[in-house]
Amino acid sequence: MTDLNQLHADARHRLDRQGALPGVLRERGLSFEDAQALDLGLDAQGNVLLPLRDEHGTLIGLKGRVASPAPHKYFELPAGNGNPPWYAPTLWQAPHRAVLWVEGELNAMVTHLALRAQQVAVIGLGSAFGPLDTALLRRLDRPGYLYLDDDTVGRKSARAFLRQAEADGVALQRVGPLLGAWDACTYAHTCGQDALRDRWLAFLKLPSL
C-alpha cells in the first residue's frame, strides 16, 4: 500500500534540496518560495508532485506534473484516484467571503496566493469536467463563482455545472475570461500576482463577514 504521507515528505525534501523552482513551473506565476508554501515536491524522476487533500485536510492523493514531454502531462498517485479537486489550505483555517472554483490545480494555486488576504476559498478542478461539490458551497453558505477555460469544453461544462447548482438550490456564477485566452498562471507570470488579485476582484462580489 502506498504511503502517501511519506512520499509527500520525501518529495518536499527533494524540492528543498534542489533550492530552485523546477523548470516545468517556470513562467507559471510562481516563485520557489511559493512552491514551498504550497507544499509542492519532486519525485525521484524530477516530476512535480501536488498534494491533494480532502475538505478536512487529509492527504488523499498526489498529482504529478511530468518534467519532460510525454503523451500525458499529469499522472495520479495512487493511480485511478478519480482526479479529486485541490483545496486551498485556508478552506479549513478561516471564515470565507466567497468560494471560487478554478480549472486546473496550478491556476487555482496561483489564484489562492493572489487572493489569500481576501478570504476567498479557492478550489482547483483537475479538469473542466469537475467534479464540483455543491454540497460544500451550501455548507459554507457563501457566494460561489466558477472559472473555466473559455473553450468549447469549458463552456459546455459551465452550463452543466450551473444547471447542477440551480437544481441543488445554491447560487453559482460563472466569471471570466481574465484576458483573452490567458489562464491565471499566464496572467500572474505576465502581470504579477497583485494584478491577478485585482483582476479577480473585478469579477467577485465579496460580502462582509
Side-chain angles (χ1 to χ4, degrees):
M1 182 175 178
T2 302
D3 186 339
L4 289 174
N5 289 292
Q6 188 59 56
L7 283 175
H8 183 218
D10 293 343
R12 290 180 61 196
H13 290 154
R14 288 191 192 94
L15 179 63
D16 290 343
R17 288 197 301 270
Q18 176 170 293
L21 194 68
V24 74
L25 295 182
R26 292 173 190 159
E27 300 187 0
R28 303 303 289 156
L30 297 168
S31 67
F32 175 66
E33 291 74 20
D34 289 336
Q36 289 180 305
L38 292 164
D39 282 343
L40 305 188
L42 296 172
D43 67 10
Q45 290 72 46
N47 302 310
V48 174
L49 295 183
L50 291 63
L52 299 175
R53 303 181 183 276
D54 65 19
E55 61 182 87
H56 306 293
T58 302
L59 186 68
I60 59 172
L62 297 167
K63 189 165 185 179
R65 177 64 163 87
V66 298
S68 56
H72 301 286
K73 292 182 179 180
Y74 294 96
F75 59 91
E76 290 183 301
L77 297 172
N81 198 30
N83 206 18
W86 175 84
Y87 293 108
T90 51
L91 184 70
W92 318 288
Q93 299 170 0
H96 308 293
R97 300 165 70 193
V99 183
L100 172 62
W101 278 271
V102 178
E103 181 180 346
E105 295 91 351
L106 291 176
N107 287 315
M109 288 177 176
V110 74
T111 294
H112 159 67
L113 294 172
L115 291 173
R116 56 190 154 187
Q118 307 301 318
Q119 296 173 294
V120 175
V122 179
I123 302 172
L125 299 174
S127 76
F129 300 107
L132 189 146
D133 185 1
T134 55
L136 174 64
L137 184 58
R138 185 181 299 108
R139 290 197 300 275
L140 293 176
D141 192 26
R142 296 284 91 186
Y145 296 92
L146 174 67
Y147 182 87
L148 300 179
D149 291 345
D150 191 27
D151 54 19
T152 300
V153 172
R155 290 190 291 271
K156 182 177 179 179
S157 292
R159 290 192 294 270
F161 287 144
L162 292 173
R163 287 195 300 268
Q164 175 189 340
E166 183 178 10
D168 292 343
V170 295
L172 182 68
Q173 177 182 340
R174 189 183 184 195
V175 295
L178 291 170
L179 182 64
W182 284 8
D183 60 17
C185 287
T186 301
Y187 202 108
H189 170 68
T190 306
C191 304
Q193 288 184 12
D194 287 348
L196 177 62
R197 174 202 63 210
D198 294 342
R199 186 61 178 147
W200 280 124
L201 292 178
F203 292 129
L204 308 181
K205 299 177 179 64
L206 300 181
S208 300
L209 290 172

